[in-house]
Amino acid sequence: MDSLSQKLSHHFLDAFKDSDVACLSEVTPQGLDQSAVVSSNTNLAGTLGIRGNFLDDPDTQEMFSGNLVPSSIKPVALVYSGHQFGVWAGQLGDGRALTLGEIDVSGELWDLQLKGSGATPYSRFADGRAVLRSSIREYLCSEAMNGLGIHSTRALCLIDSNTPVYRESVERAAIICRVARSHIRFGSFEHFHYRGANDMVKKLANYVIRRHFPSWEVGSEGYRKLFKNAVQETAKTIARWQSVGFAHGVMNTDNMSILGETIDYGPFGFIDTYDPMFICNSSDSQGRYAFVNQPSMGLWNLNALANALVSLVSPEELTSILQTYEPTFRREYFDLMAQKLGITDFIETDSELIDRLLLILAEEEVDYTNFFRSLCEYQTKGGGDFLTKVLKNSVKFNSWLADYDDRLSQEPALSQERRSKMLAANPKYIFRNYMAQEAIDAAEQRDYSLVNDLLNTLQTPYDEHPEMERYAGDPPNWASSISVSCSS
Ligand code: AMP
Ligand code: MG
């Protein structure tokens, strides 16, 4: 226990506890009754330099269950504000999360947070809890995204309990330990800006620069770089979402990381049958965050961030940096899509080939992930079910294939080499909602094996996992009836 808790520092707390405008609260977690370990992420533990079996130590388990706060640890909840569904929502904050401290990962500090550990001063009228089901979803999706090579918060462990939580029915409370390079959101800057606390906007920017970009100067040039980094990393992250068919569901500015990483897994969903209008969040009646809208919503959010930074960077500079969003997004997106097709160097005319294919997949209602995985075998074995059965009679697809053949003939790689590259660009396993549901159903009966099997599979989604083969096929019919909504 000592070894882990003593590794944690409190740089954020030290930097902000005496600020004129409050930006955090020291809090005490509310623990869980009869905590039980669902899963611990030995892979991430290794990255953090802690023992893979860290939860074997009873005190450490108690810490991650919110029941024990070692004397060296000072948990804090952060305040932030945000635009929710395009509307200014005012003050929000860590309503059900607290940061235990920071841990040094190769010279950079990463936060360790508990999520679901009870009410904080920012809970408003809610209970500060997270139910087991949503915690399993966040735990596995964070790791699935990381496995796909998409920048994301991580998850170190997941604890179940007997503590009741009252939602539509009585459920069990759980806590995950979320790990992130930063928990500072666009909404953290908006919070201070809209209170007229420009000195705090600056202090926060200085903090982010010193912690994450120590080689940058703290001052005008550093602020420009910080915003440019947010614009470009957000563009790239969203491009990666689009390339794997991930829909976030709640792209409010309080759920956007200043480092451009994916954060806050709620009603997210991966696309099964390709549908650009896919809306994963049943509360999103207007489809504001529909799959196809995500790139433009990213830009909308960056505009909101720009507004919050006007005291640091001139409007002209903010505007010109914002203009780099679209080209950055396009470059990243088309590079990734080209790789999925086995094209090494994207050329502008490939965009037409890609767009046309997506239209066909939508029209023919084809499974997005399975199509691309099958396509890896096209040149060597004819291309699996989709090409030989599902799309065989599509005139449009066959004419697309002819153009695809032409394009591949200009590529330097031989088909075997291309096949291996494509297998590394087209995941076999994505975290589909029905898989989450099966893991949840078992865990509710206290069988945690599927959570752990999925963790293992989703961390290396491009590899073969013969024992998990059934999760590589089409989702079952009942999958389309799953509905997921906001915070739970
Ligand atoms: P989300 O849409 O999940 O990002 O949540 C928006 C805001 O509501 C955040 O400030 C959360 O901390 C807060 N929140 C969500 N669920 C709860 C809960 N059960 N208890 C307290 N605060 C919550
Ligand atoms: Mg949130």
Side-chain angles (χ1 to χ4, degrees), residues 90-218:
Q91 182 183 307
L92 305 161
D94 289 334
R96 51 171 170 174
L98 54 82
T99 305
L100 290 171
E102 304 117 10
I103 193 161
D104 188 310
V105 180
S106 318
E108 187 183 28
L109 296 178
W110 290 14
D111 292 346
L112 257 62
Q113 264 203 355
L114 299 187
K115 183 166 175 185
S117 51
T120 75
Y122 314 113
S123 301
R124 294 176 291 174
F125 301 104
D127 57 8
R129 291 298 190 188
V131 299
L132 178 63
R133 114 185 102 84
S134 61
S135 306
I136 290 174
R137 286 172 51 85
E138 170 147 14
Y139 183 76
L140 290 176
C141 198
S142 320
E143 292 305 303
M145 294 295 268
N146 189 63
L148 291 166
I150 301 176
H151 294 170
S152 170
T153 61
R154 305 286 306 270
L156 181 60
C157 59
L158 168 58
I159 313 278
D160 188 6
S161 75
N162 256 344
T163 304
V165 186
Y166 302 91
R167 297 289 182 263
E168 271 161 34
S169 61
V170 186
E171 300 188 47
R172 297 204 302 268
I175 294 181
I176 75 164
C177 174
R178 177 163 69 184
V179 178
R181 296 169 62 214
S182 177
H183 282 95
I184 295 173
R185 299 138 192 274
F186 292 7
S188 312
F189 288 92
E190 291 180 282
H191 180 74
F192 297 115
H193 171 71
Y194 287 107
R195 278 168 192 235
N198 290 348
D199 50 335
M200 286 299 296
V201 173
K202 186 178 203 167
K203 194 169 168 177
L204 198 59
N206 291 350
Y207 179 84
V208 176
I209 291 171
R210 289 196 181 105
R211 175 158 158 183
H212 300 287
F213 310 102
S215 65
W216 298 359
E217 164 219 346
V218 162

Side-chain angles (χ1 to χ4, degrees), residues 193-265:
H193 171 71
Y194 287 107
R195 278 168 192 235
N198 290 348
D199 50 335
M200 286 299 296
V201 173
K202 186 178 203 167
K203 194 169 168 177
L204 198 59
N206 291 350
Y207 179 84
V208 176
I209 291 171
R210 289 196 181 105
R211 175 158 158 183
H212 300 287
F213 310 102
S215 65
W216 298 359
E217 164 219 346
V218 162
S220 319
E221 183 58 23
Y223 305 140
R224 275 196 294 275
K225 282 186 174 167
L226 182 64
F227 183 59
K228 188 167 182 192
N229 185 70
V231 169
Q232 302 202 333
E233 291 305 313
T234 301
K236 288 187 220 162
T237 292
I238 297 177
R240 291 169 193 149
W241 292 356
Q242 301 306 110
S243 76
V244 298
F246 173 80
H248 180 284
V250 206
M251 290 175 66
N252 295 332
T253 58
D254 53 304
N255 291 337
M256 300 292 291
S257 153
I258 190 64
L259 300 183
E261 300 183 342
T262 316
I263 187 169
D264 271 16
Y265 293 96

Side-chain angles (χ1 to χ4, degrees), residues 446-462:
R446 308 235 180 232
D447 172 359
Y448 306 132
S449 54
L450 188 52
V451 173
N452 285 292
D453 290 346
L454 288 175
L455 175 70
N456 180 47
T457 306
L458 295 168
Q459 283 184 331
T460 49
Y462 300 95

Side-chain angles (χ1 to χ4, degrees), residues 372-388:
F372 279 102
R373 189 74 181 184
S374 285
L375 193 67
C376 304
E377 309 295 347
Y378 169 56
Q379 297 235 318
T380 49
K381 292 188 220 147
D385 278 3
F386 287 95
L387 276 47
T388 51

Side-chain angles (χ1 to χ4, degrees), residues 78-91:
L78 271 51
V79 70
Y80 46 81
S81 293
H83 281 86
Q84 298 186 315
F85 291 89
V87 179
W88 177 244
Q91 182 183 307

